Amino acid sequence: MLEIKEFLRSRADSGELYYQSHENVILRFEGWKLKKSEVKESAGYSLRVQKNGRIGFSGTTDPNALDSLLDKALQSAELGEKITLDFPGAAPSKELELFDEKIVNYPYASLVALGEEIVDKLSPLKNECELKIDIGLTRYFEEFQNTSGANFAIKGTLFDISLELTKMEEGDVLIVSEFISETHINDALSKLPAAIENLRKKYNLAKNIVKLETENLPVIFHPDAVMALLLPLLVGVNGKNVSAGASPLVGKIDTQIFDGKLTIIDDGTVPRKPGSTPYDGEGFPKKPITLVENGYLRNYLLDLLSAKKLNMSPNGAASRGIFSSPAPRTSNIIVGEGNLSTNEIFSAFPKAILIEGLLGIGQGNIISGAFSNPVAIGFLVENGQILGRVKNIAIAGNIYECLKNILAISKEREWKYGAYCFPYIMLDNVSVTGGKNG
Amino acid sequence: MKDRLLNAIKGKNAYVEVRIERKETSRVQFRGRMIDELSANTDLGGFVRALVPNGGWGIATFNRIEELERRINEAIELSRSIIPPEPIRLTPVEIVQVVLKENLKDDFRNYSLVQKKELIENYNEILLGYNSAIVDTSATYYDSFSKLYYANTDGTYVEKERADCGIMLVAVAKQNGNIQQAHEGRTSRVAFSDLKGLEELAKGTAEKAFQLLSAETVKGGRYTVVLDPYLAGVFIHEAFGHLSEADHVYENPRAMEMMKLGKKFGPPELNVGDDGAIPSLRGSIYYDDEGTPARRNYLIKEGILVGRLHSRETASKMNETPTGNARAQSYNHPPIVRMTNTFIENGNVPVEDIFSDIKEGIYACRAYGGMTQFENFSFSAGYAYIIRNGRVENLVRDVVLQGNLFETLLNIEAIGNDFIWLPTGGSCGKDGQLAPVGMGSPHIRIRNVLIGGK
């Protein structure tokens, strides 16, 4: 990469130069066959500068436009916000094993064979449903320098597999899916048999549709659906929303906001996980951030700007891209384990609703804590056994009320979407509508 | 560029298409009293898609335009590596060679960043100054100007521009831990001046956020619902439009059966279409990303399913005509079937009559967004009112409409006579790609809609 001070040629008082490149191979299987293959390469630079106490930003993917990158960032700084950020100096970080040489060298033909193997395993279902598989392989590289001495170069890899079965009948469409995302190919491949088995199991259970006689039942959120409960919180702890005064969590540090069973950590330092990174987007070494500890709010996610506005210290939660200025963002979100097994949770009540998939997560006024979602995949659980799928129901509530009283959190946790480690969560204060008419 | 692209793909024993795109954007965003972002970006890249006889789709995307020839060969190699059981065919379309300029009446590129900042700062001050309950705002001005070059081995060459400018306003009101927000936006492809003089819009946005503080959460249940044109536009896009995209059905015999042309979908008053050729609307494309001319496509006529949206591939597979709906977000993505400007045609019921005989219902206004999973949809109203005995009464919040498309369309009871194309900017996400879309509708009334809540 270019040397930052040389690049700025004293035209700015301070700055950060960031380079990012991605190479992806993506295979799409559709209609039980390989349909398309994509090779993607993208690379670009972004520059944040400070001049006369103001901040400017510009990004480009045009490798021949680096001179205008500086000009544009300086123009932006003429009008930019008047605030001084103290860029960090050099600091060591933890080795996180995010790069897998095997992924880089994985033969294209083996990717095709892998997809065909999955197709083969699920082919007994060929007459009743459709299958879509995406297999993606990513190699990325990031480089960063600021004028205070912080710098990093990170290389990483990702191996993603997504599986989706769709069954259509007049009046009923069933879509079940599984997703694996790992930095190492062996981690992904070792999870594949279980993912295929889960998909098949979920699909078979869902084929049986049962009627919900009463809506007044406890709700068990499967790890796949826990995001509906956590997203309002993650928006609420984002330093950008806190410093703007828009979060309900302003001034709530060290107060109890949730049930004592709930602990949530943002941990970007878990080795070999896609949400991990040794440094944040502003050059701070990554460290675990406890967001909620036994129900008590402990920290926000802060970048330099939000920390400055709040008169707090940045905690390494900045994320940046080629076209986006640094801003706080989650890394890996880990919910602490509970004290009941999933079997105990399933049998805790004579009847319960298990929710595995929701539509419209993130829609609406979520910063207020409100959620309201149609259930895409939900099951009726009776005496610890999944009886069948319930249709046409919806859940609603507000996390700042619902999570004050949690019936149970499971001991078992599952990594979802590469960066979320979630347990099962059981609540009895979520509003369920629609079942009786379904 | 024309010769460069056509020469690069000449003499290949394959169908090859290339796209080069250069996009310049600027953005000024206030968050509260501070500038949150003020940036100017450049995005340049290329896309190649190849299909060898009896092969699959091979795709390569890149930033270094000088690598074009190498990328073409790479895409051809990938295409060769795939042997689909049935060959992929593309329905032929008219070969065109066109150069289209964006018809700008008041070009935002003639305004300085200072002027853009002043415009949005003024609206931000109005939001913040409404009253002390407004604790936070987000006020964004953005513009983008793209130049796109497209060529394929059939001989088609399309060079076109795309200009967009717009504002987005969000007001956040807070009282005793209760947080509510309201948002509004305006976009234009024609004139920077379209974004001037919107002080009342800004004031109304803050006012709505403030009013929502004292609104009750809606009680869950089934209601007769009146959708304002904004939400009706999102509804027809989300709940029906996506199902009419042929790529959702063309590989799926059962889905094809469910979406069989000639099937009754709604009442005889219901006419739905999509049109990417109307000048200067948000979803207007004139030519799609396969070089097919955009046109008006009726999807539902007098309640009957009469058409769907196609790429050249889906049209061939279903033995129908390409409709000009293959769109890609940018050079970084392949074209997929998607909407342009989707509309419910004007009906004949005067708006006031739509409410008249509703005993208890919901008047749902504006949209936070929506999501659909084949026949099941969910979309959130920005705000809503209770209707009692034909009268629009108190404001309610957290209104999320959900249901099954097939049932819901058949439950449309009235279509108003007040059609508008929405001036707000909408973007639609599908398969990881965002695309600007237009939506239009009059007020509509639907019975028996499920609304989640307490």
Side-chain angles (χ1 to χ4, degrees):
Chain A
M1 190 159 80
L2 305 152
E3 208 281 314
I4 175 84
K5 285 184 180 153
E6 211 173 290
F7 185 74
L8 296 177
R9 295 191 300 269
S10 308
R11 290 173 67 196
D13 301 331
S14 62
E16 301 163 310
L17 185 61
Y18 173 74
Y19 171 82
Q20 183 193 73
S21 73
H22 275 90
E23 290 171 50
N24 313 72
V25 181
I26 307 160
L27 272 63
R28 161 71 59 92
F29 289 75
E30 218 174 43
W32 303 86
K33 67 204 177 212
L34 177 59
K35 187 67 193 288
K36 78 182 176 195
S37 293
E38 274 180 72
V39 177
K40 288 184 164 194
E41 274 193 39
S42 63
Y45 284 92
S46 76
L47 177 67
R48 182 163 71 165
V49 295
Q50 301 197 87
K51 182 158 187 177
N52 303 327
R54 289 181 186 272
I55 301 171
F57 179 87
S58 181
T60 185
T61 55
D62 182 352
N64 302 314
L66 292 181
D67 278 341
S68 70
L69 179 71
L70 178 58
D71 292 339
K72 283 183 172 181
L74 288 168
Q75 275 165 23
S76 151
E78 284 172 24
L79 301 169
E81 186 56 42
K82 219 173 167 122
I83 191 165
T84 305
L85 303 179
D86 304 316
F87 293 142
S93 74
K94 202 174 143 187
E95 169 53 47
L96 298 175
E97 301 168 61
L98 302 177
F99 184 78
D100 181 5
E101 195 73 40
K102 278 196 197 121
I103 289 183
V104 177
N105 298 320
Y106 202 67
Y108 173 77
S110 303
L111 284 177
V112 177
L114 176 66
E116 284 168 349
E117 198 186 307
I118 301 170
V119 167
D120 202 46
K121 287 204 169 117
L122 291 165
S123 63
L125 300 172
K126 200 169 173 175
N127 290 328
E128 47 184 291
C129 63
E130 294 303 324
L131 170 68
K132 189 159 92 181
I133 306 171
D134 281 329
I135 301 176
L137 197 149
T138 303
R139 170 191 197 164
Y140 65 88
F141 181 69
E142 290 176 287
E143 212 174 342
F144 171 91
Q145 292 172 53
N146 69 23
T147 43
S148 298
N151 65 86
F152 62 72
I154 301 168
K155 60 177 186 175
T157 47
L158 295 170
F159 196 89
D160 301 326
I161 306 171
S162 101
L163 311 171
E164 187 181 281
L165 287 175
T166 305
K167 179 174 177 285
M168 289 194 189
E169 276 168 8
E170 195 74 45
D172 183 44
V173 175
L174 169 65
I175 301 173
V176 291
S177 56
E178 284 286 325
F179 182 64
I180 297 169
S181 182
E182 295 290 345
T183 58
H184 285 60
I185 196 160
N186 288 343
D187 295 354
L189 293 180
S190 68
K191 283 189 163 179
L192 186 58
I196 294 173
E197 195 38 47
N198 275 346
L199 189 73
R200 212 186 336 231
K201 201 172 134 195
K202 196 157 40 171
Y203 173 80
N204 283 324
L205 282 169
K207 280 202 286 192
N208 181 34
I209 298 169
V210 294
K211 268 217 154 153
L212 199 61
E213 299 298 336
T214 167
E215 294 167 345
N216 194 10
L217 291 176
V219 173
I220 304 164
F221 286 80
H222 184 279
D224 278 329
V226 164
M227 194 46 131
L229 298 174
L230 286 209
L231 197 60
L233 172 78
L234 299 179
V235 173
V237 294
N238 189 305
K240 212 165 173 165
N241 294 324
V242 177
S243 63
S247 165
L249 302 175
V250 172
K252 295 269 175 77
I253 294 284
D254 294 333
T255 57
Q256 184 161 12
I257 56 167
F258 294 138
D259 188 293
K261 293 184 202 65
L262 194 60
T263 292
I264 303 166
I265 297 166
D266 178 278
D267 188 355
T269 68
V270 187
R272 294 164 85 107
K273 281 293 164 195
S276 298
T277 176
Y279 291 94
D280 85 338
E282 293 177 323
F284 288 99
K286 207 73 184 153
K287 55 184 184 195
I289 304 166
T290 301
L291 300 173
V292 175
E293 185 183 25
N294 301 325
Y296 283 78
L297 180 71
R298 293 297 186 210
N299 286 290
Y300 304 126
L301 294 170
L302 300 170
D303 63 345
L304 275 167
L305 188 61
S306 59
K308 181 101 183 186
K309 287 194 219 167
L310 287 164
N311 203 16
M312 297 172 85
S313 301
N315 54 15
S319 168
R320 76 194 301 154
I322 296 169
F323 297 127
S324 53
S325 313
R329 201 171 145 187
T330 59
S331 57
N332 299 299
I333 293 294
I334 297 168
V335 176
E337 61 181 28
N339 51 14
L340 290 183
S341 70
T342 45
N343 282 340
E344 286 169 316
I345 288 179
F346 276 43
S347 348
F349 289 83
K351 281 186 183 184
I353 300 169
L354 170 67
I355 290 173
E356 290 215 18
L358 292 161
L359 285 185
I361 290 179
Q363 248 171 241
N365 182 27
I366 59 169
I367 198 160
S368 70
F371 63 91
S372 179
N373 308 89
V375 176
I377 300 276
F379 295 102
L380 179 63
V381 179
E382 226 174 84
N383 302 321
Q385 298 296 317
I386 293 177
L387 220 60
R389 177 164 53 113
V390 285
K391 283 195 61 179
N392 300 337
I393 61 168
I395 58 163
N398 185 301
I399 67 154
Y400 296 112
E401 292 161 22
C402 293
L403 295 180
K404 276 209 167 88
N405 193 0
I406 297 172
L407 288 180
I409 295 177
S410 69
K411 281 182 202 159
E412 299 93 332
R413 290 176 296 172
E414 294 173 18
W415 279 91
K416 293 291 164 190
Y417 312 105
Y420 303 95
C421 181
F422 290 163
Y424 289 76
I425 297 180
M426 188 182 212
L427 303 173
D428 67 350
N429 47 18
V430 171
S431 156
V432 179
T433 44
K436 282 175 287 191
N437 299 302
Chain B
M1 188 63 91
K2 184 177 175 182
D3 293 341
R4 168 89 207 274
L5 296 189
L6 287 168
N7 282 333
I9 57 180
K10 207 156 64 185
K12 307 284 179 192
N13 183 25
Y15 169 81
V16 181
E17 60 184 18
V18 294
R19 251 189 293 134
I20 305 289
E21 181 180 358
R22 184 184 190 89
K23 189 177 189 176
E24 302 279 348
T25 57
S26 63
R27 185 180 177 94
V28 185
Q29 180 172 9
F30 278 86
R31 182 83 197 249
R33 300 230 172 256
M34 291 183 82
I35 294 175
D36 196 46
E37 188 161 346
L38 199 151
S39 61
N41 297 323
T42 305
D43 198 6
L44 171 72
F47 171 91
V48 180
R49 191 166 69 147
L51 185 64
V52 302
N54 301 314
W57 284 116
I59 293 164
T61 69
F62 49 97
N63 292 115
R64 292 185 176 275
I65 305 305
E66 55 272 24
E67 292 177 356
L68 176 63
E69 281 75 12
R70 178 165 82 78
R71 298 300 182 173
I72 290 171
N73 293 330
E74 192 173 35
I76 290 172
E77 280 311 305
L78 284 176
S79 175
R80 278 206 188 101
S81 72
I82 306 169
I83 307 160
E86 283 173 54
I88 296 171
R89 295 190 202 286
L90 306 180
T91 300
V93 292
E94 180 195 353
I95 292 163
V96 293
Q97 300 223 336
V98 286
V99 176
L100 297 172
K101 297 267 176 216
E102 192 74 300
N103 184 22
L104 279 161
K105 293 196 173 67
D106 180 25
D107 192 335
F108 51 77
R109 291 173 298 171
N110 296 333
Y111 290 82
S112 68
L113 213 46
V114 174
Q115 287 168 302
K116 294 168 184 175
K117 182 191 163 201
E118 281 169 0
L119 174 93
I120 198 67
E121 193 167 19
N122 173 35
Y123 298 142
N124 189 48
E125 287 301 321
I126 293 170
L127 295 175
L128 282 166
Y130 180 77
N131 69 20
S132 61
I134 305 296
V135 294
D136 182 26
T137 61
S138 167
T140 309
Y141 166 85
Y142 61 90
D143 60 47
S144 77
F145 191 90
S146 312
K147 188 106 197 185
L148 291 116
Y149 308 87
Y150 171 89
N152 68 29
T153 42
D154 293 344
T156 282
Y157 176 77
V158 179
E159 188 177 317
K160 63 180 183 180
E161 296 173 339
R162 181 176 173 111
D164 285 285
C165 61
I167 60 159
M168 287 184 291
L169 305 176
V170 182
V172 180
K174 192 172 173 183
Q175 219 163 41
N176 307 326
N178 177 10
I179 296 171
Q180 296 302 322
Q181 49 179 303
H183 54 101
E184 275 290 355
R186 286 292 179 268
T187 57
S188 176
R189 290 181 66 178
V190 180
F192 182 76
S193 57
D194 286 349
L195 307 177
K196 293 179 181 168
L198 299 173
E199 287 78 8
E200 284 304 310
L201 185 81
K203 195 179 153 203
T205 308
E207 185 177 26
K208 191 58 69 188
F210 176 65
Q211 288 170 347
L212 279 165
L213 286 174
S214 47
E216 298 222 338
T217 298
V218 71
K219 189 170 160 280
R222 288 185 180 265
Y223 292 92
T224 292
V225 174
V226 177
L227 308 184
D228 78 347
Y230 291 80
L231 193 49
V234 174
F235 165 71
I236 205 65
H237 171 101
E238 282 302 330
F240 172 74
H242 282 294
L243 265 188
S244 70
E245 293 164 345
D247 58 342
H248 284 304
V249 298
Y250 82 120
E251 295 276 25
N252 190 328
R254 288 172 200 84
M256 269 198 246
E257 188 57 36
M258 286 164 79
M259 294 300 290
K260 204 170 170 175
L261 302 185
K263 189 170 165 175
K264 185 174 159 63
F265 257 71
E269 299 78 30
L270 182 65
N271 295 298
V272 177
D274 183 88
D275 190 339
I278 303 170
S280 303
L281 287 181
R282 179 144 172 94
S284 302
I285 51 169
Y286 316 115
Y287 288 85
D288 76 1
D289 290 313
E290 293 181 331
T292 307
R295 60 177 201 186
R296 175 162 289 215
N297 296 295
Y298 274 97
L299 305 169
I300 295 178
K301 250 196 166 156
E302 297 178 351
I304 305 295
L305 189 69
V306 293
R308 65 183 112 245
L309 305 177
H310 278 297
S311 64
R312 293 179 63 187
E313 181 190 354
T314 62
S316 167
K317 175 105 183 178
M318 296 183 76
N319 210 9
E320 293 172 4
T321 311
T323 57
N325 288 86
R327 300 181 64 188
Q329 174 184 316
S330 68
Y331 65 86
N332 218 353
H333 299 275
I336 53 175
V337 181
R338 60 197 317 170
M339 290 168 262
T340 58
N341 302 300
T342 314
F343 59 89
I344 297 179
E345 223 165 50
N346 219 0
N348 51 20
V349 183
V351 182
E352 50 281 14
D353 293 356
I354 287 193
F355 298 88
S356 64
D357 54 346
I358 299 174
K359 273 208 176 115
E360 194 192 17
I362 301 280
Y363 178 32
C365 304
R366 300 301 194 270
Y368 263 118
M371 184 180 171
T372 172
Q373 203 179 55
F374 204 77
E375 61 172 357
N376 295 312
F377 64 82
S378 147
F379 53 100
S380 311
Y383 54 89
Y385 300 90
I386 297 285
I387 306 167
R388 274 191 203 91
N389 300 317
R391 292 226 311 268
V392 175
E393 293 189 346
N394 53 305
L395 190 69
V396 286
R397 58 182 168 84
D398 300 330
V399 172
V400 179
L401 298 91
Q402 38 214 302
N404 175 291
L405 161 79
F406 298 103
E407 290 165 18
T408 308
L409 283 180
L410 285 165
N411 286 341
I412 293 179
E413 291 185 317
I415 297 170
N417 63 357
D418 59 338
F419 178 90
I420 55 163
W421 284 113
L422 309 188
T424 48
S427 282
C428 162
K430 176 179 170 183
D431 245 6
Q433 299 192 41
L434 272 182
V437 290
M439 290 172 264
S441 177
H443 275 82
I444 63 168
R445 173 170 137 181
I446 315 172
R447 66 173 173 269
N448 200 25
V449 176
L450 178 62
I451 291 179
K454 286 179 182 168

